[in-house]
Amino acid sequence: MKRLALFIVVLSLLLGLVVSGSAEEAVVEETVETAVGAAPGLEVYFLDLGRVDGILLRADGETCFIDVGFKRDTKVAIQYLHGLGIDQLDCYVGTHGHADHIEGAPEMIVEFRPKRIYLSHEGAYKGILECCNDSQRQVVEQTERLYMVPGDSFTLGRGTMTCVGPVRVRNSSLSSSDENENSLITRFDYGERSLLFTGDASDETLRAADYNNPGCLAAEVLKNPHHHGAHGKDVIELIHPKLVVFCTDNGYYPKQEYRSILSDIGARMLLTGSDNQGNVGLVTDGARWEVRCGYSAQSVTVDAPAPMAVGQKQELSAHAVSDKLRSPDHQLGWNSSDESVAIVHNGVVLGVGPGTATITAAAINGVSDSAEVRVYTALVSLDKDTLRMAIGEKERLKASVTPSNVEGVTGEWISSDPAVATVDDGQVVAQARGVAQIIARLSNGVEAACEVEVYGAKPKSVKLSKSKLTLSVGDTYGLTAKVQPSEYDLSELEWSSSDDDVIWVDDSGNVTAVGPGSAKVTVRASDKVKAVCRIKVKD
């Protein structure tokens, strides 16, 4: 493993309020994100969840989370918050009712039990409820909720979150694009610093907010509306941001025209996504900003690859212990020590020629791990990994060679213990109790194995001591089974109930009447050899 030394770049980006003759404030950017404790000050993290919003604010130890994305994104966000030592939220904000903003909200609310939920309209709340299961719905409904209108505000630490829009809530379905215009638009002020959170509001809605309250949009940091979307020059000038954060992914970037508009006003762009800044973190004491971007990993582990045939592909699994929000598998850099043997791209390895190559996966900060892959001219596989057979039974295994047209490779069948099981051209015969490995081995040394467990005699019939029973709730009864031949091992029997709410049965045939009704208890000696007892339970 290796770890590249972290380095600090001092930037001259001006992020404070600009006044005539003022000196530029230095902004420190660390190339690798580090978790910040709950010390006084404001931390804002725009999480890399894909093309969705997931934003954490922690002001003087008090916490607020905005949106979260789909259900698939929620686990990532939960891990990230716990990594920062957060076990409860002071509030949750759902900007609007589209699934890519609130589908995962129920899980976040259940996990962190916020004291309040802030929304722009009742439709967004109904959208959250529609995403709940029964237990989640109970928690969500018990959480205080408030619908904000322009002018409403709440405090978070020493900061203030103020609603500036929407001025008018549209009557639209949650599947309609009009729901974007119902996005809760908020401005957060902390000391001399300010941020604008916009959901997916359009230019029209933002203009209406400024018309209703001139100057309310002005902020140093803009969470760009609608992920990577572009907005008019007039709207950008109303906000006049110094930093614009795009909650997007590697596949979606702002258009060149939009980037030019932002460049013209001196705004710096920060994009989430593994090919960009990753997680974007902003920290301030109220007087100056620090920008923290990227990921860090304490360790990376690459699972050992299976042997491969020339022309075969396999996807390797890598795991990272990291202080970032998720295991950064898709952000790892991959390389092969010998591309004449194997090449690798995004963890997918292709066998090129016979030999051995070392495959390495490295996190963004240089922490890495390697695994050796061996490539053969051909591989063999079996249609079964395990077999369970009675003495005297026969079973045929099928071997497949990859590639199927390989030349000059021969094979053989081997039993590790012929006293337990023999094999001839794939035909396995169970000889005696025990375990044996049946192996298909190619002349190039590659092999595949099937573990064969041989048990006692093969059952021919099974009978129960009772075929019908009537019990009362709470009664117990011990059913017994008789199997032919008598050499059959009774511990192999499988017992089951057709309805556990009526009858429960253990592995020895002891039944308990649980509730009124009718149920069947079945004992199986094999798939085809079984017996049934029909049981009626009275109150």
Side-chain angles (χ1 to χ4, degrees):
M1 304 253 183
K2 60 180 181 178
R3 184 182 297 272
L4 298 181
L6 306 182
F7 61 93
I8 297 176
V9 180
V10 180
L11 305 176
S12 59
L13 177 65
L14 176 60
L15 293 179
L17 295 176
V18 180
V19 294
S20 177
S22 63
E24 288 190 341
E25 296 175 291
V27 178
V28 177
E29 177 169 344
E30 300 175 2
T31 58
V32 175
E33 177 184 300
T34 54
V36 179
L42 170 66
E43 308 152 55
V44 186
Y45 290 98
F46 301 83
L47 306 190
D48 173 21
L49 303 180
R51 193 169 164 264
V52 298
D53 291 353
I55 306 165
L56 169 67
L57 290 84
R58 179 160 61 179
D60 308 309
E62 295 186 354
T63 53
C64 173
F65 201 87
I66 302 175
D67 290 334
V68 71
F70 296 105
K71 290 180 181 179
R72 64 173 180 260
D73 307 310
T74 310
K75 182 179 179 181
V76 176
I78 288 172
Q79 291 175 346
Y80 189 80
L81 266 62
H82 284 317
L84 290 178
I86 296 171
D87 296 318
Q88 184 178 20
L89 291 170
D90 288 280
C91 62
Y92 175 83
V93 175
T95 60
H96 61 295
H98 281 163
D100 63 332
H101 286 255
I102 53 88
E103 186 181 89
E107 191 171 348
M108 286 290 291
I109 292 168
V110 169
E111 181 73 18
F112 294 103
R113 304 297 173 109
K115 300 170 186 175
R116 293 172 301 281
I117 301 171
Y118 291 100
L119 304 152
S120 65
H121 68 123
E122 189 175 5
Y125 177 66
K126 290 180 178 178
I128 292 176
L129 291 181
E130 289 175 3
C131 299
C132 291
N133 59 34
D134 290 342
S135 61
Q136 291 171 339
R137 186 184 185 96
Q138 184 178 7
V139 175
V140 171
E141 288 180 335
Q142 290 174 350
T143 306
E144 180 186 6
R145 65 184 182 278
L146 297 168
Y147 300 109
M148 300 187 77
V149 297
D152 288 350
S153 65
F154 64 86
T155 60
L156 194 73
R158 290 176 293 158
T160 302
M161 184 78 83
T162 304
C163 174
V164 299
V167 175
R168 177 180 65 87
V169 173
R170 300 190 183 188
N171 184 16
S172 63
S173 70
L174 294 183
S175 60
S176 167
S177 61
D178 279 350
E179 177 62 15
N180 288 328
E181 311 314 326
N182 292 332
S183 291
L184 187 62
I185 307 168
T186 53
R187 173 193 168 109
F188 190 75
D189 291 280
Y190 189 90
E192 299 175 10
R193 309 280 73 89
S194 56
L195 306 95
L196 186 68
F197 302 101
T198 57
D200 284 349
S202 72
D203 283 0
E204 177 185 354
T205 299
L206 292 168
R207 290 188 190 104
D210 183 76
Y211 183 84
N212 181 64
N213 182 10
C216 69
L217 299 181
E220 295 170 312
V221 179
L222 166 66
K223 196 293 296 184
N224 192 74
H226 214 87
H227 314 294
H228 70 291
H231 299 274
K233 183 176 181 180
D234 65 315
V235 172
I236 295 302
E237 288 179 344
L238 289 174
I239 304 167
H240 209 87
K242 295 297 180 183
L243 276 177
V244 181
V245 182
F246 296 83
C247 294
T248 185
D249 57 25
N250 299 334
Y252 294 88
Y253 291 85
K255 294 181 179 179
Q256 179 58 49
E257 311 91 88
Y258 191 30
R259 298 201 299 269
S260 295
I261 291 173
L262 297 177
S263 177
D264 288 345
I265 64 169
R268 178 186 175 192
M269 295 184 295
L270 294 168
L271 289 76
T272 59
S274 59
D275 288 348
N276 306 307
Q277 276 76 36
N279 298 321
V280 173
L282 308 177
V283 181
T284 183
D285 58 3
R288 62 185 298 279
W289 288 109
E290 282 185 7
V291 180
R292 294 189 172 103
C293 298
Y295 308 112
S296 61
Q298 284 74 51
S299 65
V300 174
T301 304
V302 179
D303 288 350
M308 301 178 63
V310 172
Q312 189 180 30
K313 290 182 180 180
Q314 69 170 304
E315 185 172 359
L316 296 189
S317 178
H319 310 278
V321 176
S322 173
D323 64 2
K324 69 183 288 297
L325 71 161
R326 60 181 162 190
S327 176
D329 297 359
H330 71 293
Q331 286 128 6
L332 296 174
W334 294 83
N335 68 76
S336 168
S337 65
D338 189 343
E339 293 194 343
S340 68
V341 174
I343 59 176
V344 61
H345 178 68
N346 289 338
V348 179
V349 181
L350 171 66
V352 177
T356 301
T358 300
I359 305 298
T360 301
I364 197 168
N365 61 333
V367 175
S368 65
D369 189 32
S370 301
E372 187 176 85
V373 63
R374 185 171 291 277
V375 179
Y376 296 92
T377 53
L379 288 178
V380 63
S381 61
L382 295 177
D383 60 332
K384 295 182 179 68
D385 295 324
T386 59
L387 279 176
R388 196 166 181 275
M389 306 171 65
I391 294 173
E393 273 192 313
K394 298 179 180 180
E395 187 85 29
R396 181 169 292 280
L397 291 174
K398 295 181 180 179
S400 300
V401 178
T402 304
S404 58
N405 60 350
V406 66
E407 297 180 359
V409 175
T410 59
E412 61 178 333
W413 290 92
I414 302 168
S415 172
S416 66
D417 191 344
V420 173
T422 58
V423 61
D424 182 16
D425 195 25
Q427 178 92 344
V428 181
V429 181
Q431 304 291 343
R433 289 177 183 270
V435 176
Q437 302 290 323
I438 302 300
I439 301 166
R441 180 178 293 161
L442 299 184
S443 56
N444 64 358
V446 178
E447 61 184 38
C450 174
E451 182 176 275
V452 177
E453 179 188 357
V454 180
Y455 58 93
K458 184 175 181 179
K460 296 180 180 179
S461 66
V462 59
K463 290 184 179 180
L464 284 171
S465 55
K466 290 284 186 180
S467 61
K468 292 182 180 180
L469 275 176
T470 299
L471 302 173
S472 297
V473 173
D475 286 351
T476 60
Y477 189 88
L479 289 172
T480 59
K482 187 175 182 180
V483 183
Q484 292 295 334
S486 58
E487 293 81 10
Y488 178 83
D489 185 353
L490 295 181
S491 66
E492 304 290 340
L493 291 174
E494 295 181 1
W495 296 84
S496 63
S497 170
S498 63
D499 191 340
D500 288 339
D501 293 330
V502 176
I503 287 292
W504 181 83
V505 61
D506 67 13
D507 292 339
S508 299
N510 298 309
V511 300
T512 302
V514 178
S518 298
K520 294 186 295 184
V521 169
T522 302
V523 61
R524 288 181 173 82
S526 68
D527 290 341
K528 296 181 179 180
V529 179
K530 62 183 179 180
V532 174
C533 177
R534 292 173 172 80
I535 303 175
K536 183 177 181 180
V537 179
K538 301 183 296 183
D539 285 331

